[in-house]
């Protein structure tokens, strides 16, 4: 096998994605658009949480939503009905969004026209955590029926997020969900993570979450 | 879990490397994969076979995977230990003031291309 040559590469497989994500962040900063990458398991309540958040904030900021679910016209219609612009991102059946797909979505929605854009990532606690989308902040939703051990089982998701929403707290009496444990598990992984227990159905806990979103958006777009 | 997705990322990176080096065929790709990179070597190889067959640049190319052991460091003990065996808790003091030294890598180390060695010096 002397009729070959070897080329040394020594490059992280994610190097291109990370560079693209940094470029997206710089552009969003310049355009004064705050991009939130919202991640969770399927059924944790992303769309319900977004509908209520949009209804509460739509009069103070211009909000756009990019939906990455594989068949999401139902979600997109619900978002539009709540008062925000919504588009679907075509994931091609992928288990996560990367920076390239996010940029296509930002171009399609016209991100510069919005103060806040929410990227509703594919419902999955594993793969989306691995790929920087170029978002300003990452937020995860964990719902009570999923159990309090999720930060132990999916540590990376809880490390890459700046905020964690614990949804469906109205059903706490019916599940063996230990709120103290989930708080401590999440903070072991990520001591600076901000945690908001909420119920997207009733609006309980929303003022603290929406205040965080308001402050972060203002700080980014400043 | 997303082995097919990362294979597409690998192939995209290889296309750029090939363009930079004026290469139109790759016969072997060597990856370095950390034990806690969340990528499973066996699935990665299967996905590679499927995806590489559809991309002329790497059609039929062999994939070599070099594992990198996961090692953590305890700040309190100033000692290192195997991450797979002990996780985040230090086996010497039981504490959690630890971090990963190595083992989450996912690198393209080198590629092999058909053709004679180029004389670059002289």
């Amino acid at each position: 096998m002397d009729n070959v040559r070897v080329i040394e590469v020594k490059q992280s497989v994610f190097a291109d994605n990370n560079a693209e994500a940094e470029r997206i962040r710089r552009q969003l900063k310049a355009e004064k658009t705050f991009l939130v990458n919202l991640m969770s398991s399927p059924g944790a309540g992303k769309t319900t949480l977004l509908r209520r958040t949009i209804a509460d904030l739509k009069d103070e900021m211009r909000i756009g939503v990019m939906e990455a679910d594989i068949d999401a016209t139902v979600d997109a219609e619900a978002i539009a009905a709540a008062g925000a612009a919504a588009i679907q991102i075509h994931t091609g059946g992928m288990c996560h969004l990367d920076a390239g797909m996010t940029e296509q979505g930002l171009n399609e929605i016209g991100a510069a026209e919005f103060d806040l854009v929410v990227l509703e990532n594919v419902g999955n606690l594993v793969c989306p955590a691995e790929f920087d989308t170029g978002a300003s902040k990452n937020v995860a939703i964990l719902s009570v029926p999923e159990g309090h051990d999720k930060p132990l089982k999916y540590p990376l998701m809880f490390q890459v997020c700046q905020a964690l929403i614990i949804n469906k707290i109205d059903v706490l009496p019916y599940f063996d969900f230990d709120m103290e444990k989930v708080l401590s598990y999440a903070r072991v992984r990520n001591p600076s993570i901000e945690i908001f227990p909420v119920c997207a159905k009733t609006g309980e806990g929303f003022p603290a979450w929406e205040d965080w979103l308001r402050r972060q958006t203002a700080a980014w777009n400043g | 879990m997303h082995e097919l997705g990362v294979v597409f990322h690998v192939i995209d990176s290889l296309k750029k490397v090939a363009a930079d080096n004026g290469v139109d065929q790759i016969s072997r790709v060597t990856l370095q994969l950390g034990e806690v990179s969340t990528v499973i070597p066996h699935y990665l190889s299967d996905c590679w076979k499927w995806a590489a067959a559809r991309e002329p640049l790497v059609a039929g190319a062999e994939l070599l995977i070099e594992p990198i052991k996961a090692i953590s460091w305890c700040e309190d003990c100033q000692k290192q230990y195997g991450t797979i065996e002990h996780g985040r808790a230090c086996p010497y003091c039981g504490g959690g003031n630890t971090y990963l030294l190595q083992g989450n890598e996912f690198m393209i180390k080198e590629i092999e291309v058909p053709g004679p060695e180029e004389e670059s010096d002289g």
Side-chain angles (χ1 to χ4, degrees):
Chain A
M1 287 293 286
D2 54 358
N3 198 27
V4 295
R5 68 191 164 107
V6 171
I7 299 172
E8 189 177 78
V9 181
K10 283 208 178 294
Q11 177 189 316
S12 168
V13 171
F14 301 130
D16 284 344
N17 187 68
N18 292 346
E20 202 168 351
E22 283 304 327
R23 188 167 52 68
I24 291 171
R25 254 189 298 280
R26 279 197 301 275
Q27 186 172 344
L28 289 169
K29 185 85 183 158
E31 292 175 353
K32 296 185 187 295
T33 301
F34 183 64
L35 177 63
V36 170
N37 175 21
L38 188 61
M39 298 177 279
S40 79
S41 308
K46 286 192 295 289
T47 306
T48 309
L49 178 118
L50 273 180
R51 285 173 62 186
R52 182 175 287 276
T53 305
I54 290 161
D56 290 347
L57 299 181
K58 68 179 184 206
D59 294 333
E60 42 185 300
M61 55 177 89
R62 296 166 299 168
I63 305 173
V65 175
M66 307 194 294
E67 297 267 356
D69 280 342
I70 289 163
D71 183 7
T73 48
V74 176
D75 288 351
E77 284 162 13
I79 295 295
I87 62 158
Q88 273 181 266
I89 294 185
H90 308 293
T91 61
M94 293 279 272
C95 52
H96 62 272
L97 288 176
D98 61 19
M101 289 186 259
T102 303
E103 186 167 42
Q104 287 174 24
L106 290 168
N107 290 337
E108 189 182 333
I109 201 170
E113 300 301 312
F114 298 96
D115 303 304
L116 168 66
V117 173
V118 180
L119 176 63
E120 201 180 320
N121 214 313
V122 181
N124 177 340
L125 288 178
V126 183
C127 314
E130 298 271 349
F131 289 86
D132 190 343
T133 58
S136 319
K137 298 284 177 187
N138 292 325
V139 176
I141 307 177
L142 174 63
S143 64
V144 166
E146 294 170 66
H148 56 249
D149 58 352
K150 287 297 171 288
L152 297 181
K153 290 187 170 175
Y154 305 98
L156 187 62
M157 175 58 71
F158 296 87
Q159 279 167 32
V160 301
C161 284
Q162 287 76 40
L164 169 63
I165 294 168
I166 298 175
N167 191 23
K168 308 189 188 179
I169 56 171
D170 56 327
V171 299
L172 273 170
Y174 309 105
F175 288 87
D176 293 328
F177 185 95
D178 189 325
M179 186 65 82
E180 289 306 312
K181 275 190 180 155
V182 80
L183 298 182
S184 79
Y185 291 160
R187 287 184 179 130
V188 165
R189 299 289 166 262
N190 182 349
S192 64
I193 196 166
E194 302 216 37
I195 302 176
F196 304 103
V198 307
C199 174
K201 194 174 158 193
T202 64
E204 187 180 353
F206 265 58
W209 148 244
E210 288 169 352
D211 191 48
W212 181 86
L213 198 53
R214 224 178 249 126
R215 279 186 285 116
Q216 296 291 333
T217 304
W220 180 267
N221 296 348
Chain B
M1 189 162 176
H2 53 217
E3 279 72 10
L4 185 57
V6 298
V7 162
F8 291 136
H9 276 271
V10 170
I11 291 175
D12 284 347
S13 299
L14 292 173
K15 285 182 188 167
K16 287 186 186 140
V17 170
D20 290 346
N21 290 278
V23 166
D24 56 14
Q25 186 66 52
I26 295 175
S27 50
R28 186 152 85 187
V29 177
T30 306
L31 300 179
Q32 290 177 313
L33 193 57
E35 283 180 328
V36 294
S37 65
T38 76
V39 175
I40 313 294
H42 165 71
Y43 292 157
L44 188 66
S45 297
D46 282 351
C47 292
W48 171 262
K49 281 181 201 145
W50 186 89
R54 286 155 180 79
E55 178 57 51
L57 175 67
V58 289
E62 182 188 2
L63 184 71
L64 276 187
I65 300 174
E66 294 182 358
I68 296 178
K69 187 173 168 53
I71 299 172
S72 289
W73 176 257
C74 176
E75 277 287 292
D76 295 334
C77 298
Q78 298 283 300
K79 282 183 188 165
Q80 62 182 47
Y81 64 89
T83 312
I84 294 287
E85 299 85 335
H86 303 289
R88 298 195 51 121
C90 170
Y92 303 104
C93 68
N97 192 12
T98 61
Y99 61 86
L100 192 69
L101 286 178
Q102 63 169 61
N104 62 351
E105 296 82 358
F106 187 20
M107 306 272 295
I108 302 173
K109 183 188 177 192
E110 60 188 29
I111 60 172
E112 198 177 271
V113 303
E117 189 79 40
E118 281 178 6
E119 298 293 333
S120 55
D121 53 350

